[in-house]
Amino acid sequence: MSIGFDFGTANCSVAHMDDQTPVLLALENDQAYIPSTLAAPTRDSVSEHLFRHRHIEPNGEVGERLLRRSIALNREEDIDLQVEDVAFGHAALDVYLSDPQETYYVKSPKSFLGAMGLHDIQLAFFEDLVCAMMANIKSQIALSGVDSSNVVIGRPINFQGRGGEDSNRQAEAILRSAARRVGFRHIEFQFEPVAAGLEYESTLTQDKTVLVVDIGGGTTDCSLIQMGPTWRHKDQRQASLIAHSGQRVGGNDLDIHLAFKQLMYPFGYKSQTLSGLEMPMTQFWNPIAINDVTAQQSFYARENLKDLKHMYKNAAQPEKLARLLTVYHETLGHRVVKNAEDIKIALSEYPQVTTQLDIVSDQVSLTVEREAMLEAIDAPKRKMMSLVEEALTQGGVKPDAVYMTGGSARSPILRSAVKQLLPDVPVVSGSYFGSVTAGLARWSKLCFG
């Protein structure tokens, strides 16, 4: 038996084939989709959790060094790590929201895997992070009685990272190594938009040229594919793949840009010093750039606290900078972006939304209009549409249909933008979250029988 595994930026899901039908497995509270999140008492708890409670050995000398350091630091903090201290999915978000200051919280670690210039100890930590999340998911697969020895893991056309193919190789290597450590024996990869196309292909009664637009949390991938009865059962599909494009821009970027342009004013964005100078913009971008390792490290670094205090001391509106200091001390960047995500969803139905920003003991009421949201997210939206145009230019043919998938493809704003590019081509969709996973399960059956 084999499975398809979508280790997604926003959510993870797993499916296996029951005869000719993909079946998604329950991964959290009988739900098939588990958010790609982890919460722990400290950053160093991740490696110790793997070794102590998952019985997974560290990877090589660097992994052993990371484990020794992690255990030593936890002992210094007098942390006696219990298995329930590391949480995943919705449970992880609940832990973080209940006590952000005392919680190490990670969302979308897949976004970090292609980052270049990392030290070996950082790469080992990212692998342990992925390994912990995979180990939790594999334990849930085991409860279902499904044999998961053989797995096809989805991957974007291009992982997030500035290294091009070096970023892609690094990210895939981390995923492969983590998968092996948790017990997957035979591992293959498939492009996520191609997998989504395989699920759509199962519904076709005649051959078509289809543009698959997969807009996930961290990446947008487009594939122009020939599909239909002629191709359905072939395990070699290179000849059917006409064009690919992909970039590190997705639903998270829409949320981050909306947070930056509309929610950071109460924290001092665009405010001035006593001498009339504008506050440095990066101090308002970095805390909410949750998919950028460098930005997060820069804002939450100990030495940045001195700069933030200096900004507060010299602020014309110090009460706003006091809130930014609270973001630093309480690690509230993820919470602000979550507020932006909720606003984005609500504005798909309403012309304006009023929300409350909870900043520990402080509350700020904000009203955001739909037009302001559209302006805020215009830059990442244009990047997404440029990828659609790139795939069409590469392919040199007009598709018979556009198949949109991925959680962010639900957005009426993005669907309308695709329709404007291809006004005479039908835009269809299946399961926004499940089509990639189902396609990966279909491909696993072709790969492993």
Side-chain angles (χ1 to χ4, degrees), residues 30-43:
D30 296 325
Q31 299 298 307
Y33 306 102
I34 180 170
S36 303
T37 54
L38 176 149
T42 64
R43 183 181 187 275

Side-chain angles (χ1 to χ4, degrees), residues 4-299:
F5 185 178
D6 182 10
F7 188 81
T9 305
N11 297 282
C12 297
S13 53
V14 172
H16 74 108
M17 294 298 292
D18 183 1
D19 192 19
Q20 298 300 314
T21 304
V23 177
L24 272 70
L25 304 179
L27 299 181
E28 184 182 25
N29 299 328
D30 296 325
Q31 299 298 307
Y33 306 102
I34 180 170
S36 303
T37 54
L38 176 149
T42 64
R43 183 181 187 275
D44 300 291
S45 299
V46 177
S47 300
E48 183 177 354
H49 169 81
L50 276 177
F51 182 72
R52 176 184 285 195
H53 297 299
R54 297 288 182 178
H55 310 294
I56 294 173
E57 294 290 329
N59 185 9
E61 185 276 330
V62 177
E64 291 176 358
R65 180 154 44 97
L66 174 63
L67 176 60
R68 289 194 299 270
R69 189 186 75 173
S70 298
I71 293 174
L73 289 172
N74 280 336
R75 294 303 165 271
E76 286 181 15
E77 297 291 328
D78 199 27
I79 294 173
D80 182 17
L81 192 68
Q82 303 299 309
V83 64
E84 65 273 9
D85 290 340
V86 178
F88 304 90
H90 291 288
L93 179 60
D94 291 342
V95 170
Y96 166 71
L97 292 177
S98 67
D99 192 358
Q101 186 177 17
E102 298 299 325
T103 302
Y104 173 74
Y105 178 74
V106 177
K107 178 181 179 182
S108 309
K110 185 178 178 182
S111 300
F112 307 151
L113 303 186
M116 292 282 95
L118 300 176
H119 299 299
D120 57 358
I121 204 77
Q122 292 173 303
L123 291 171
F125 173 71
F126 284 159
E127 184 179 312
D128 277 2
L129 196 59
V130 173
C131 198
M133 296 175 68
M134 283 187 172
N136 173 65
I137 289 170
K138 198 168 191 303
S139 69
Q140 299 303 308
I141 298 171
L143 293 176
S144 69
V146 171
D147 180 3
S148 59
S149 299
N150 305 319
V151 59
V152 174
I153 300 174
R155 55 151 290 182
I157 304 296
N158 291 305
F159 286 88
Q160 295 192 34
R162 297 182 176 89
E165 278 306 307
D166 287 339
S167 288
N168 290 336
R169 280 189 289 269
Q170 174 180 289
E172 188 173 301
I174 291 172
L175 289 172
R176 186 183 297 276
S177 181
R180 282 178 175 158
R181 288 172 65 196
V182 303
F184 295 116
R185 293 179 57 197
H186 302 106
I187 303 159
E188 298 289 343
F189 287 88
Q190 179 56 276
F191 290 131
E192 289 158 0
V194 173
L198 295 176
E199 181 58 14
Y200 177 56
E201 183 180 63
S202 68
T203 68
L204 297 179
T205 57
Q206 61 183 22
D207 289 351
K208 289 186 176 183
T209 300
V210 179
L211 176 66
V212 180
V213 180
D214 181 6
I215 307 176
T219 57
T220 294
D221 291 312
C222 302
S223 292
L224 196 61
I225 310 173
Q226 292 176 333
M227 59 176 66
T230 299
W231 301 95
R232 187 168 297 147
H233 301 295
K234 293 184 178 181
D235 60 0
Q236 297 295 323
R237 294 295 299 261
Q238 286 85 349
S240 71
L241 307 181
I242 303 171
H244 286 309
S245 66
Q247 194 176 342
R248 52 158 292 177
V249 57
N252 287 347
D253 296 275
L254 300 179
D255 302 335
I256 291 167
H257 277 75
L258 178 57
F260 180 60
K261 292 291 185 67
Q262 290 296 311
L263 303 191
M264 295 307 289
Y265 288 99
F267 301 95
Y269 175 56
K270 293 288 187 181
S271 67
Q272 296 182 340
T273 65
L274 290 170
S275 59
L277 298 176
E278 191 171 293
M279 292 292 177
M281 188 178 298
T282 55
Q283 292 286 17
F284 305 97
W285 173 262
N286 287 349
I288 58 170
I290 59 173
N291 57 2
D292 186 330
V293 179
T294 303
Q296 291 283 280
Q297 288 177 337
S298 177
F299 182 79

